[in-house]
Amino acid sequence: MKSNDIILQTAAKFVTFIIMIFSFYIFLGGHFGPGGGFVGGLLTSSALVLMLLAFDIKTMSTVIPFDYKLLIPIGLLVALGTGVGSFFFHVPFLTHAFGHFTLPIIGETELATATIFDLGVYLVVVGITMTIIQTIGESE
Amino acid sequence: MIEIVKYIAVIIILMGALLSLVTTIGLFRLPDTYTRSHAASKSATLGIMAVLSGTALFFWVDKGFLSGRLILGIIFIFVTSPVAGHLIARAAYKTNVPLWEKTVHDDLKGKYDEQEKERRGEQFDS
């Protein structure tokens, strides 16, 4: 059925932008404030679900031609890689390291390896949520 | 100066709370879905925006910290809440929710009959 959804589609385009930025902020700010990989991943997938609601599943798969199932092993590998990486420095598994660095634009920031582990969590959460929702949405 | 701005923030937050109360009274008192949607999407939006801007003003003046999240939240509520009201009212009209019996004017009367026929036809064909 063709229906006239122009108000929902225009609003969804704008709002998805805001949600994506906010999820990125939540993901990066998880070390010092509330947030982290799990909430950031859920927010990103909620932005993608909003686009799925406004447009249909075929349009989304042509705009983002990417299999969300691939995100799950990639995220698990990233999380495992941070654990295995600590063996190269002769410290126990999943040892956390951090340091202060001077970045070109932002200035002095504290970079921690926990962020890379969070990136793995983020990828797994986005992959699992989008896989569940797309699988339920496709079955007739 | 700081005390004056604090009182302004208090007045804005109280106005927002009052508007939310008006929304609730409207949800109880109004007769059908469309008028209730009118009450819920307009005054609740303005009420929440007033509460959020009062909070942002208070934290900016009192703590010296302008929260970007609150400003983003104000923009977000301002964009999404009327769209949600529009979608609820349109879904109600498309599923033939009756209007109030004292309604005198219906601009959309007959506009959705064609689509309804098409949808039913597709359903019977398949």
Side-chain angles (χ1 to χ4, degrees), chain A:
Chain A
M1 186 181 95
K2 292 277 284 182
S3 63
N4 185 11
D5 279 341
I6 191 159
I7 295 179
L8 175 62
Q9 286 173 355
T10 315
K13 280 177 207 160
F14 181 68
V15 164
T16 306
F17 193 63
I18 296 181
I19 302 178
M20 279 291 192
I21 293 175
F22 189 63
S23 76
F24 195 62
Y25 166 79
I26 283 265
F27 166 65
L28 285 181
H31 202 61
F32 296 110
F38 188 77
V39 190
L42 278 183
L43 267 172
T44 304
S45 46
S46 77
L48 292 172
V49 167
L50 180 66
M51 291 302 270
L52 271 180
L53 278 178
F55 302 93
D56 55 348
I57 212 160
K58 278 177 193 161
T59 319
M60 275 296 284
S61 58
T62 50
V63 171
I64 309 176
F66 188 75
D67 193 6
Y68 291 106
K69 285 194 283 296
L70 275 178
L71 283 181
I72 305 171
I74 292 174
L76 284 175
L77 276 180
V78 168
L80 186 68
T82 56
V84 173
S86 62
F87 286 150
F88 293 109
F89 300 98
H90 301 288
V91 284
F93 186 61
L94 279 175
T95 302
H96 168 236
F98 63 95
H100 293 272
F101 299 95
T102 309
L103 294 180
I105 301 169
I106 314 169
E108 191 185 344
T109 43
E110 183 185 356
L111 296 180
T113 54
T115 312
I116 309 173
F117 185 80
D118 246 8
L119 181 68
V121 176
Y122 175 87
L123 290 176
V124 171
V125 168
V126 172
I128 287 181
T129 317
M130 292 312 290
T131 308
I132 290 174
I133 288 172
Q134 280 196 338
T135 317
I136 295 173
E138 272 170 355
S139 66
E140 301 254 326

Side-chain angles (χ1 to χ4, degrees), chain B residues 37-110:
Chain B
S37 160
H38 165 84
S41 55
K42 277 198 185 74
S43 53
T45 311
L46 188 61
I48 294 169
M49 281 168 66
V51 170
L52 285 181
S53 31
T55 318
L57 189 67
F58 177 76
F59 276 111
W60 187 25
V61 172
D62 194 52
K63 307 268 189 272
F65 150 74
L66 184 58
S67 173
R69 273 176 287 181
L70 282 173
I71 294 169
L72 209 59
I74 294 170
I75 298 172
F76 190 83
I77 291 289
F78 184 60
V79 172
T80 53
S81 178
V83 175
H86 157 76
L87 285 174
I88 291 171
R90 202 172 79 140
Y93 196 87
K94 276 191 172 179
T95 48
N96 296 325
V97 172
L99 275 70
W100 188 32
E101 68 264 18
K102 288 183 190 164
T103 309
V104 292
H105 192 71
D106 185 5
D107 266 340
L108 282 177
K109 197 173 185 62

